[in-house]
């Protein structure tokens, strides 16, 4: 990246989790599909959490590293859609690399597409934004009232449950782990089984044990995606606890630890899809019911089953996204910190 090339972004947060949308300043990203572009972004010999250095990855580092970002930053590079049926594509990224799915990001992108005028929407009603992501095509139903975006419903790729009650050893004892693929592979663990509660005071312990679980599942066959090896491997560990049911259905609180120890401030959009499929498998969620899914900071998504597909459950997750700023980022050639640093 040229030291003085400006990078333009529009920033949102979805239920507290940041999403930085890069609208200009990217080098060309080759590839015929979003999935191909992600593979090229990872680079030969690179991985999802350790991509090879490149002009594109320097921009990811610039935007996620301090002093322009932070260890919890998340965002996306806008790219062409796979075909004319979608409005655009996106490469999702975080401080460690590139993910295959991001529900909170899809919610933010839906809000941005309508708020910016890229996708026409009624003053009162709903507009559907179709987005190609590395795991497939997703959509965002953007709900409007009085000319304002009031909520966004994310419809995910099909979610498949691939393992139940896998025994996984940790420093806190062996725990039962459930696995579901919902655009990325998520491992679900009851926090109480680890002697923990889902609260901000417990985040160091929750993060540490989540990293243990992810590492322990590295060679587990059920984490492998049947159609695409680049979608394989545990992306996030969901540590959850039960809350009293609501009149609409079950209620849970969770913290999702993803990539190399990053904490989702939201209830996790694609992780909510995983929880919905597991609740359905347990007979605890049926059509017409909703999951109230709360994050570690108290923000809420609501999720529901929208049907079945040969590849799994179709799920929908509703939340809110709000614009927080617009930025032109620069790299001064005299800046000895370059693309920045991380304190974690």
């Amino acid at each position: 990246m040229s030291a003085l090339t400006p990078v333009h972004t529009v920033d949102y947060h979805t239920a507290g989790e940041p999403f930085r949308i890069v609208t200009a300043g990217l080098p060309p990203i080759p590839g015929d599909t979003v999935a191909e572009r992600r593979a090229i972004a990872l680079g030969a010999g690179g991985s999802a959490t350790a991509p090879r250095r490149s002009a594109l990855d320097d921009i990811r580092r610039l935007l996620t590293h301090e002093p322009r970002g932070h260890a919890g930053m998340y965002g996306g590079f806008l790219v062409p859609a796979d075909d004319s049926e979608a409005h655009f594509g996106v490469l999702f990224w975080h401080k460690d690399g590139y993910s295959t799915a991001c529900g909170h990001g899809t919610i933010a992108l839906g809000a941005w597409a309508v708020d910016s005028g890229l996708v026409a929407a009624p003053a009162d009603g709903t507009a559907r934004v179709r987005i190609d992501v590395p795991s497939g095509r997703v959509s965002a139903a953007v709900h409007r009232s009085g000319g304002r975006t009031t909520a966004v419903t994310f419809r995910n790729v099909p979610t498949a449950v691939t393992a139940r009650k896998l025994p996984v050893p940790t420093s806190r004892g062996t725990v039962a782990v459930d696995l579901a693929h919902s655009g990325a592979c998520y491992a679900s663990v009851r926090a109480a089984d680890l002697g923990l509660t889902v609260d901000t005071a417990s985040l160091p312990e929750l993060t540490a044990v989540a990293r243990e679980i992810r590492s322990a599942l590295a060679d587990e066959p059920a984490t492998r995606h049947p159609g695409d090896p680049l979608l394989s491997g545990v992306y996030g560990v969901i540590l959850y606890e039960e809350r009293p049911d609501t009149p609409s259905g079950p209620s849970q609180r969770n913290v999702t630890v993803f990539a190399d120890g990053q904490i989702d401030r939201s209830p996790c959009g694609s992780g909510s899809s995983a929880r919905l499929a597991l609740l359905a498998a347990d007979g605890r969620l049926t059509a017409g019911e909703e999951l109230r899914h709360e994050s570690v900071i108290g923000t809420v998504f609501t999720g529901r089953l929208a049907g079945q597909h040969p590849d799994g459950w179709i799920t929908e997750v509703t939340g809110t996204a709000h614009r927080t700023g617009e930025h032109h980022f620069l790299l001064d050639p005299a800046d000895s910190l370059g693309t920045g640093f991380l304190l974690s």
Side-chain angles (χ1 to χ4, degrees):
M1 180 180 67
S2 169
L4 296 178
T5 299
V7 178
H8 300 180
T9 74
V10 180
D11 285 19
Y12 277 71
H13 83 82
T14 304
E17 178 73 357
F19 195 78
R20 179 163 282 171
I21 304 166
V22 180
T23 58
L26 293 175
I29 308 174
D32 293 329
T33 66
V34 174
E36 284 184 15
R37 291 185 178 94
R38 177 177 179 268
I40 290 169
L42 297 181
S47 70
T49 54
R52 298 292 297 270
R53 292 296 294 266
S54 65
L56 180 69
D57 201 57
D58 279 346
I59 295 177
R60 178 189 66 81
R61 293 168 183 267
L62 184 83
L63 299 178
T64 58
H65 291 190
E66 296 185 53
R68 300 167 189 85
H70 53 80
M73 182 54 66
Y74 209 113
F77 297 140
L78 297 177
V79 298
D82 292 356
D83 59 45
S84 61
E85 295 300 313
H87 292 98
F88 54 88
V90 63
L91 296 182
F92 296 122
W93 44 256
H94 44 74
K95 73 173 177 66
D96 300 309
Y98 299 87
S99 56
T100 59
C102 180
H104 93 271
T106 301
I107 290 171
L109 286 162
W112 166 79
V114 166
D115 294 347
S116 68
L118 178 68
V119 175
D124 297 283
T126 299
R128 188 168 294 276
V129 182
R130 295 175 298 278
I131 307 168
D132 285 330
V133 307
S135 54
R137 180 160 294 163
V138 298
S139 68
V142 183
H143 310 294
R144 306 268 290 170
S145 178
R148 293 181 57 84
T149 296
T150 57
V152 179
T153 298
F154 155 58
R155 176 171 281 208
N156 201 3
V157 299
T159 298
V161 176
T162 57
R164 302 303 309 271
K165 302 188 185 309
L166 280 175
V168 174
T170 76
S171 59
R172 291 177 169 269
T174 298
V175 291
V177 176
D178 297 324
L179 295 175
H181 287 260
S182 53
C185 181
Y186 287 89
S188 286
V189 183
R190 193 184 305 270
D193 293 348
L194 295 159
L196 295 171
T197 57
V198 178
D199 54 40
T200 55
S202 302
L203 281 176
E205 293 86 357
L206 292 163
T207 303
V209 75
R211 295 178 75 171
E212 289 182 32
I213 292 166
R214 181 173 180 265
S215 178
L217 290 168
D219 298 319
E220 168 56 46
T223 69
R224 299 172 192 154
H225 191 277
D228 186 349
L230 289 178
L231 300 179
S232 297
V234 173
Y235 169 65
V237 177
I238 303 171
L239 302 157
Y240 71 94
E241 60 188 20
E242 300 288 349
R243 291 298 178 95
D245 287 358
T246 73
S248 301
S251 178
Q252 295 182 339
R253 180 179 172 95
N254 91 95
V255 61
T256 300
V257 181
F258 64 92
D260 190 20
Q262 196 162 332
I263 298 163
D264 198 328
R265 277 76 170 160
S266 82
C268 189
S270 48
S272 292
S273 292
R275 294 301 309 146
L276 288 165
L278 288 164
L279 285 166
D282 287 338
R284 294 194 53 211
L285 187 75
T286 60
E289 293 184 317
E290 285 189 338
L291 166 67
R292 182 185 186 276
H293 211 202
E294 184 178 336
S295 75
V296 72
I297 65 168
T299 54
V300 175
F301 288 161
T302 55
R304 64 206 61 83
L305 304 172
Q308 286 186 285
H309 182 277
D311 294 331
W313 285 99
I314 302 299
T315 61
E316 292 182 339
V317 178
T318 299
T320 58
H322 302 278
R323 186 166 53 184
T324 60
E326 299 184 22
H327 308 280
H328 292 183
F329 291 102
L330 299 172
L331 177 57
D332 188 326
D335 187 347
S336 62
L337 289 177
T339 54
F341 61 94
L342 285 173
L343 291 178
S344 58

